[in-house]
Amino acid sequence: MKGSARAVPVLMYHHISSSPGMITVTPEHFAAQMAYLASTGHRTLGSRQLSAFLAGEPVPAKSVVLTFDDGYLDNWVHAHPVLQRHGFTALCFLVSTWPCEGEVRPNASSASSPTELPRLLNHHEGELAIDKGRADEAILRWSEIDAMRAAGTFEFHSHTHTHIRWDQVTRSRDEKRARLRDDLIAARQMLDKQLGEVSDHLCWPQGYYDDDYREIALDAGFRHFYTCHTGSNESDETRAGNAGRSINRLEVRDRPASWLASRLWVHTRPAISRAYLRIKR
Ligand SMILES: [Zn+2]
């Protein structure tokens, strides 16, 4: 493939960890997937480059975006060192009430032996820890977030302030809208305070959104909405920037690099990607 990309695949990861789970990729598979991207000349786009591509600016063929949801500690322990080795950048979506203060913990490149690494909870254990007010056991610290930003391995964006599905826990539409508005405003304030900046990229908790969600999020200043819809992303310069843009993602499985290669082959070719998704449905 020559010239510029026709479509940009956005990959979705959660955990990179040896603690097994449905949305967990092992460090070995993750390292192999990133080595495949590097050896085949892929480059990773940051949020600004993705935004520019969606608005009609060309980006090189073999561009991909890496995303990580929720901000798990294992992203620091296992993903950051691999991204650093390849000079890759990923987007991490933080739930801004979850990160705690404290010192940077050892990771796979700083630890002299694996026994020094922090214990990594599986997804279910992590959910329980967060529920019980022990998010620090499962989630990145602000100090680790700073180190990842300084290294250029990760950008940090919003995944709301609480991860609560307001559509499920409120009794009226007005209440849902009010709670979501408060949540998104608090998220922006916290990221601005901790990072000194906040972007217009937002990842929907559990991929859920409706017309109210979009309207409130646009009002709060978000323009790019990361979904769990499978598919590729094409540029569309005709679309007004103020209307916001939904971004499709590919959920990466705990599979070898060859599996990722086949997904990318499909989803960098818009017509084939659409046909593939039609058949799958
Ligand atoms: Zn999430």
Coordinates of all heavy atoms in Angstrom, one line a residue, residues 141-202:
R141 N -1.1 5.4 39.3 CA -1.0 6.6 40.1 C -0.6 7.8 39.2 O -0.1 7.7 38.1 CB 0.2 6.4 41.1 CG -0.1 5.4 42.1 CD 1.1 5.1 43.1 NE 0.7 4.2 44.1 CZ 1.6 3.6 45.0 NH1 2.8 4.0 44.9 NH2 1.1 2.8 45.9
W142 N -0.9 9.0 39.8 CA -0.6 10.2 39.1 C 0.9 10.3 38.7 O 1.3 10.8 37.7 CB -1.1 11.5 39.8 CG -2.6 11.6 39.9 CD1 -3.4 11.5 41.0 CD2 -3.5 11.8 38.8 NE1 -4.7 11.6 40.7 CE2 -4.8 11.8 39.3 CE3 -3.3 12.0 37.4 CZ2 -6.0 12.1 38.5 CZ3 -4.5 12.3 36.6 CH2 -5.8 12.3 37.2
S143 N 1.7 9.8 39.6 CA 3.2 9.9 39.4 C 3.5 9.0 38.2 O 4.4 9.4 37.4 CB 3.9 9.4 40.6 OG 3.5 8.1 41.0
E144 N 2.9 7.9 38.1 CA 3.1 7.0 36.9 C 2.6 7.6 35.6 O 3.3 7.5 34.6 CB 2.5 5.6 37.2 CG 3.2 4.9 38.3 CD 2.4 3.9 39.1 OE1 1.2 3.8 38.8 OE2 2.9 3.2 40.0
I145 N 1.5 8.3 35.7 CA 0.9 9.0 34.6 C 1.9 10.1 34.1 O 2.1 10.2 32.9 CB -0.5 9.5 35.0 CG1 -1.5 8.4 35.2 CG2 -1.0 10.6 34.0 CD1 -2.8 8.8 35.9
D146 N 2.4 10.8 35.1 CA 3.4 11.8 34.7 C 4.6 11.2 34.0 O 5.1 11.8 33.0 CB 3.9 12.5 36.0 CG 2.9 13.5 36.5 OD1 1.9 13.8 35.8 OD2 3.0 13.9 37.7
A147 N 5.1 10.1 34.5 CA 6.3 9.4 33.9 C 6.0 8.9 32.5 O 6.8 9.0 31.6 CB 6.7 8.2 34.8
M148 N 4.8 8.4 32.3 CA 4.4 7.9 30.9 C 4.2 9.1 30.0 O 4.7 9.0 28.8 CB 3.1 7.2 31.1 CG 3.2 5.9 31.9 SD 1.7 5.3 32.7 CE 1.0 4.2 31.5
R149 N 3.7 10.2 30.5 CA 3.6 11.4 29.6 C 5.0 11.9 29.3 O 5.2 12.3 28.1 CB 2.8 12.5 30.3 CG 1.3 12.2 30.5 CD 0.7 13.3 31.2 NE 0.4 14.5 30.4 CZ 0.3 15.7 30.8 NH1 0.5 16.0 32.0 NH2 0.0 16.7 29.9
A150 N 5.8 12.0 30.3 CA 7.2 12.5 30.0 C 7.9 11.7 29.0 O 8.7 12.2 28.2 CB 8.0 12.6 31.4
A151 N 7.7 10.4 29.0 CA 8.4 9.5 28.1 C 7.7 9.5 26.7 O 8.3 9.0 25.8 CB 8.3 8.0 28.7
G152 N 6.5 10.1 26.6 CA 5.9 10.1 25.3 C 5.2 8.8 24.9 O 4.8 8.6 23.8
T153 N 5.1 7.9 25.9 CA 4.5 6.6 25.5 C 3.0 6.6 25.6 O 2.3 5.9 24.9 CB 5.0 5.5 26.5 OG1 4.8 5.9 27.8 CG2 6.4 5.1 26.2
F154 N 2.5 7.5 26.4 CA 1.0 7.6 26.6 C 0.6 9.1 26.6 O 1.2 9.9 27.2 CB 0.5 7.0 27.9 CG 0.4 5.5 27.8 CD1 1.5 4.7 28.1 CD2 -0.8 4.9 27.5 CE1 1.4 3.3 28.1 CE2 -0.9 3.5 27.5 CZ 0.2 2.7 27.8
E155 N -0.6 9.4 26.0 CA -1.4 10.6 26.2 C -2.5 10.2 27.1 O -2.9 9.0 27.1 CB -2.0 11.1 24.9 CG -1.1 11.4 23.8 CD -1.9 11.9 22.6 OE1 -3.1 11.8 22.6 OE2 -1.2 12.2 21.6
F156 N -3.1 11.1 27.9 CA -4.2 10.8 28.8 C -5.4 11.6 28.4 O -5.3 12.8 28.3 CB -3.8 10.9 30.2 CG -2.8 9.8 30.6 CD1 -1.4 10.0 30.4 CD2 -3.2 8.6 31.1 CE1 -0.5 9.0 30.7 CE2 -2.3 7.6 31.4 CZ -0.9 7.8 31.2
H157 N -6.5 10.9 28.3 CA -7.8 11.6 28.0 C -8.9 11.1 28.9 O -8.6 10.3 29.8 CB -8.1 11.3 26.5 CG -7.0 11.7 25.5 ND1 -6.9 13.0 25.1 CD2 -6.0 11.0 25.0 CE1 -5.9 13.1 24.3 NE2 -5.3 11.9 24.2
S158 N -10.1 11.6 28.7 CA -11.1 11.3 29.7 C -12.0 10.1 29.3 O -12.3 9.8 28.2 CB -12.1 12.5 29.8 OG -13.0 12.3 30.8
H159 N -12.3 9.4 30.4 CA -13.2 8.2 30.4 C -14.3 8.5 31.4 O -14.7 7.6 32.1 CB -12.4 7.0 30.6 CG -13.1 5.7 30.3 ND1 -14.0 5.5 29.4 CD2 -12.9 4.4 30.8 CE1 -14.4 4.3 29.3 NE2 -13.7 3.6 30.2
T160 N -14.6 9.8 31.6 CA -15.5 10.3 32.6 C -14.8 10.4 33.9 O -13.7 9.9 34.1 CB -16.9 9.6 32.7 OG1 -16.7 8.3 33.4 CG2 -17.5 9.3 31.4
H161 N -15.6 10.9 34.9 CA -15.0 11.1 36.3 C -15.3 9.9 37.1 O -14.5 9.6 38.1 CB -15.6 12.3 36.9 CG -14.9 12.9 38.1 ND1 -13.5 13.1 38.1 CD2 -15.3 13.3 39.3 CE1 -13.1 13.6 39.2 NE2 -14.2 13.7 40.0
T162 N -16.3 9.1 36.8 CA -16.8 8.0 37.7 C -17.0 6.7 37.1 O -17.1 5.7 37.8 CB -18.1 8.4 38.4 OG1 -19.1 8.5 37.3 CG2 -18.1 9.7 39.1
H163 N -17.1 6.7 35.7 CA -17.4 5.4 35.0 C -18.8 4.9 35.3 O -19.2 3.8 34.9 CB -16.4 4.3 35.3 CG -16.1 3.3 34.2 ND1 -16.8 2.2 34.1 CD2 -15.2 3.4 33.2 CE1 -16.4 1.5 33.0 NE2 -15.4 2.2 32.4
I164 N -19.6 5.8 35.9 CA -21.0 5.3 36.2 C -21.9 5.5 35.0 O -21.8 6.5 34.2 CB -21.6 6.2 37.4 CG1 -20.8 5.8 38.7 CG2 -23.1 6.0 37.5 CD1 -21.2 6.7 39.9
R165 N -22.7 4.5 34.7 CA -23.7 4.5 33.6 C -24.9 5.3 34.1 O -25.8 4.7 34.7 CB -24.0 3.1 33.2 CG -23.0 2.4 32.4 CD -23.1 2.7 30.9 NE -24.4 2.5 30.4 CZ -24.8 1.3 29.8 NH1 -24.0 0.3 29.7 NH2 -26.0 1.2 29.4
W166 N -24.9 6.6 33.9 CA -26.0 7.4 34.4 C -27.4 7.0 33.8 O -28.4 7.2 34.5 CB -25.7 8.9 34.2 CG -24.5 9.3 35.0 CD1 -23.3 9.7 34.5 CD2 -24.4 9.3 36.4 NE1 -22.4 9.9 35.5 CE2 -23.0 9.7 36.7 CE3 -25.2 9.1 37.5 CZ2 -22.5 9.9 38.0 CZ3 -24.7 9.2 38.8 CH2 -23.4 9.6 39.0
D167 N -27.4 6.4 32.6 CA -28.6 6.0 32.0 C -29.3 4.9 32.8 O -30.5 4.7 32.8 CB -28.4 5.5 30.6 CG -27.4 4.4 30.5 OD1 -26.2 4.6 30.9 OD2 -27.8 3.3 30.1
Q168 N -28.4 4.1 33.6 CA -28.9 3.0 34.3 C -29.3 3.3 35.8 O -30.0 2.5 36.4 CB -27.9 1.8 34.3 CG -27.7 1.2 32.9 CD -26.6 0.1 33.0 OE1 -25.7 0.1 33.9 NE2 -26.6 -0.7 31.9
V169 N -28.8 4.3 36.3 CA -29.0 4.6 37.8 C -29.8 5.8 38.1 O -30.0 6.1 39.3 CB -27.6 4.7 38.5 CG1 -26.8 3.4 38.3 CG2 -26.8 5.9 38.0
T170 N -30.3 6.5 37.1 CA -31.1 7.6 37.3 C -32.6 7.3 37.0 O -32.9 6.4 36.3 CB -30.6 8.9 36.5 OG1 -30.5 8.4 35.1 CG2 -29.3 9.4 37.0
R171 N -33.5 8.1 37.6 CA -34.9 7.8 37.4 C -35.6 8.6 36.3 O -36.7 8.3 36.0 CB -35.6 8.0 38.8 CG -35.4 6.9 39.8 CD -35.6 7.4 41.2 NE -34.6 8.5 41.4 CZ -34.6 9.2 42.5 NH1 -35.5 9.0 43.5 NH2 -33.7 10.2 42.7
S172 N -34.9 9.7 35.9 CA -35.6 10.5 34.8 C -34.5 10.9 33.8 O -33.3 10.9 34.1 CB -36.3 11.7 35.4 OG -35.3 12.6 35.9
R173 N -35.0 11.4 32.7 CA -34.1 11.8 31.7 C -33.4 13.1 32.2 O -32.2 13.3 31.9 CB -34.9 12.1 30.4 CG -34.0 12.6 29.3 CD -34.8 12.8 28.0 NE -34.0 13.5 27.0 CZ -34.5 14.3 26.1 NH1 -35.8 14.6 26.0 NH2 -33.6 14.9 25.3
D174 N -34.1 14.0 32.8 CA -33.5 15.2 33.3 C -32.4 14.9 34.3 O -31.3 15.5 34.3 CB -34.5 16.1 34.0 CG -35.4 16.9 33.0 OD1 -35.0 16.8 31.8 OD2 -36.4 17.4 33.4
E175 N -32.6 13.9 35.2 CA -31.6 13.5 36.2 C -30.4 12.9 35.5 O -29.3 13.3 35.8 CB -32.2 12.6 37.2 CG -31.3 12.3 38.4 CD -31.8 11.2 39.3 OE1 -32.9 10.6 39.1 OE2 -31.0 10.8 40.2
K176 N -30.6 12.1 34.5 CA -29.5 11.5 33.8 C -28.7 12.6 33.2 O -27.4 12.6 33.3 CB -30.1 10.6 32.7 CG -29.0 10.0 31.7 CD -29.6 9.3 30.6 CE -30.1 10.2 29.5 NZ -30.5 9.5 28.2
R177 N -29.3 13.5 32.5 CA -28.6 14.6 31.8 C -27.8 15.4 32.9 O -26.6 15.8 32.6 CB -29.5 15.5 31.0 CG -30.1 14.8 29.8 CD -31.2 15.6 29.2 NE -30.8 16.9 28.7 CZ -30.4 17.2 27.5 NH1 -30.4 16.2 26.6 NH2 -30.0 18.4 27.1
A178 N -28.4 15.7 34.0 CA -27.8 16.6 35.0 C -26.5 15.9 35.6 O -25.5 16.5 35.8 CB -28.8 17.0 36.1
R179 N -26.7 14.6 35.9 CA -25.6 13.8 36.5 C -24.5 13.7 35.5 O -23.3 13.8 35.9 CB -26.1 12.5 37.0 CG -27.2 12.6 38.1 CD -26.8 13.3 39.4 NE -25.8 12.6 40.1 CZ -26.0 11.7 41.1 NH1 -27.3 11.4 41.4 NH2 -25.1 11.1 41.8
L180 N -24.8 13.4 34.3 CA -23.7 13.2 33.3 C -23.0 14.5 33.1 O -21.8 14.6 33.0 CB -24.3 12.7 32.0 CG -23.3 12.6 30.8 CD1 -22.3 11.5 31.1 CD2 -24.0 12.3 29.5
R181 N -23.8 15.6 33.1 CA -23.1 16.9 32.9 C -22.1 17.2 34.0 O -21.0 17.6 33.8 CB -24.2 18.1 32.8 CG -23.6 19.5 32.6 CD -24.6 20.5 32.5 NE -25.4 20.4 31.2 CZ -26.7 20.1 31.2 NH1 -27.4 19.8 32.3 NH2 -27.3 20.0 30.0
D182 N -22.6 17.0 35.3 CA -21.7 17.2 36.4 C -20.5 16.3 36.3 O -19.3 16.7 36.7 CB -22.4 16.9 37.7 CG -23.5 17.9 38.1 OD1 -23.5 18.9 37.4 OD2 -24.4 17.6 38.9
D183 N -20.7 15.1 35.9 CA -19.6 14.1 35.8 C -18.5 14.6 34.8 O -17.3 14.6 35.1 CB -20.2 12.7 35.4 CG -19.2 11.6 35.4 OD1 -18.1 11.8 34.9 OD2 -19.5 10.5 35.9
L184 N -19.0 15.0 33.7 CA -18.0 15.4 32.6 C -17.3 16.7 33.0 O -16.1 16.8 32.7 CB -18.7 15.5 31.3 CG -19.3 14.2 30.7 CD1 -20.0 14.5 29.4 CD2 -18.2 13.2 30.6
I185 N -18.0 17.6 33.6 CA -17.4 18.8 34.1 C -16.3 18.5 35.1 O -15.2 19.1 35.1 CB -18.4 19.8 34.6 CG1 -19.3 20.4 33.4 CG2 -17.7 21.0 35.3 CD1 -20.5 21.1 33.8
A186 N -16.6 17.6 36.1 CA -15.7 17.3 37.1 C -14.5 16.6 36.5 O -13.3 16.8 36.9 CB -16.3 16.4 38.1
A187 N -14.7 15.7 35.5 CA -13.6 15.0 34.8 C -12.7 16.0 34.1 O -11.4 15.9 34.3 CB -14.2 14.1 33.7
R188 N -13.2 17.0 33.5 CA -12.4 18.0 32.8 C -11.6 18.8 33.8 O -10.4 19.1 33.6 CB -13.2 19.0 31.9 CG -13.8 18.3 30.7 CD -14.5 19.3 29.8 NE -13.5 20.1 29.2 CZ -13.0 19.8 28.0 NH1 -13.3 18.6 27.4 NH2 -12.1 20.6 27.4
Q189 N -12.2 19.2 35.0 CA -11.5 19.9 36.0 C -10.3 19.1 36.6 O -9.2 19.7 36.8 CB -12.5 20.3 37.1 CG -13.4 21.5 36.7 CD -14.5 21.8 37.7 OE1 -14.7 21.0 38.6 NE2 -15.1 22.9 37.5
M190 N -10.6 17.8 36.8 CA -9.5 17.0 37.4 C -8.4 16.8 36.5 O -7.2 16.9 36.9 CB -10.1 15.7 37.8 CG -9.1 14.7 38.5 SD -8.5 15.3 40.1 CE -9.4 14.3 41.2
L191 N -8.6 16.5 35.2 CA -7.5 16.3 34.3 C -6.8 17.6 34.1 O -5.5 17.6 34.0 CB -8.1 15.8 32.9 CG -8.6 14.4 32.9 CD1 -8.9 13.9 31.5 CD2 -7.7 13.4 33.6
D192 N -7.5 18.7 34.0 CA -6.8 20.0 33.9 C -5.9 20.3 35.1 O -4.8 20.7 34.9 CB -7.9 21.1 33.7 CG -7.3 22.3 33.0 OD1 -6.3 22.2 32.4 OD2 -7.9 23.4 33.2
K193 N -6.4 20.0 36.3 CA -5.6 20.2 37.5 C -4.4 19.3 37.5 O -3.3 19.8 37.8 CB -6.5 20.0 38.7 CG -5.8 20.0 40.0 CD -6.8 19.9 41.2 CE -6.2 19.5 42.5 NZ -6.2 18.1 42.8
Q194 N -4.6 18.0 37.2 CA -3.5 17.1 37.3 C -2.5 17.1 36.2 O -1.3 16.8 36.4 CB -4.0 15.7 37.5 CG -4.8 15.4 38.8 CD -3.9 15.3 40.0 OE1 -2.7 15.2 39.9 NE2 -4.5 15.3 41.2
L195 N -3.0 17.4 35.0 CA -2.1 17.3 33.8 C -1.8 18.6 33.2 O -0.9 18.7 32.4 CB -2.8 16.4 32.7 CG -3.4 15.1 33.1 CD1 -4.1 14.4 31.9 CD2 -2.3 14.2 33.7
G196 N -2.5 19.7 33.6 CA -2.3 21.0 33.1 C -3.0 21.2 31.7 O -2.8 22.2 31.1
E197 N -3.7 20.2 31.3 CA -4.5 20.3 30.0 C -5.5 19.2 30.0 O -5.5 18.2 30.7 CB -3.5 20.1 28.8 CG -2.9 18.7 28.8 CD -1.9 18.6 27.6 OE1 -1.9 19.4 26.7 OE2 -1.2 17.5 27.6
V198 N -6.5 19.5 29.1 CA -7.6 18.5 28.9 C -8.0 18.6 27.5 O -8.2 19.7 26.9 CB -8.7 18.7 29.9 CG1 -9.3 20.0 29.9 CG2 -9.8 17.6 29.7
S199 N -8.1 17.4 26.8 CA -8.4 17.4 25.4 C -9.9 17.3 25.2 O -10.7 17.2 26.1 CB -7.7 16.2 24.8 OG -8.5 15.0 25.0
D200 N -10.3 17.2 23.9 CA -11.7 17.0 23.5 C -12.0 15.6 23.1 O -13.0 15.3 22.4 CB -12.2 18.1 22.5 CG -11.5 17.9 21.1 OD1 -10.7 16.9 21.0 OD2 -11.7 18.8 20.3
H201 N -11.1 14.7 23.6 CA -11.3 13.2 23.3 C -11.9 12.5 24.5 O -11.4 12.7 25.6 CB -10.0 12.6 22.9 CG -9.4 13.1 21.6 ND1 -9.3 12.3 20.5 CD2 -9.0 14.4 21.3 CE1 -8.8 13.1 19.5 NE2 -8.6 14.3 20.0
L202 N -13.0 11.8 24.3 CA -13.8 11.2 25.4 C -14.1 9.7 25.0 O -14.6 9.5 23.9 CB -15.1 11.9 25.6 CG -16.1 11.3 26.6 CD1 -15.5 11.3 28.1 CD2 -17.4 12.1 26.6

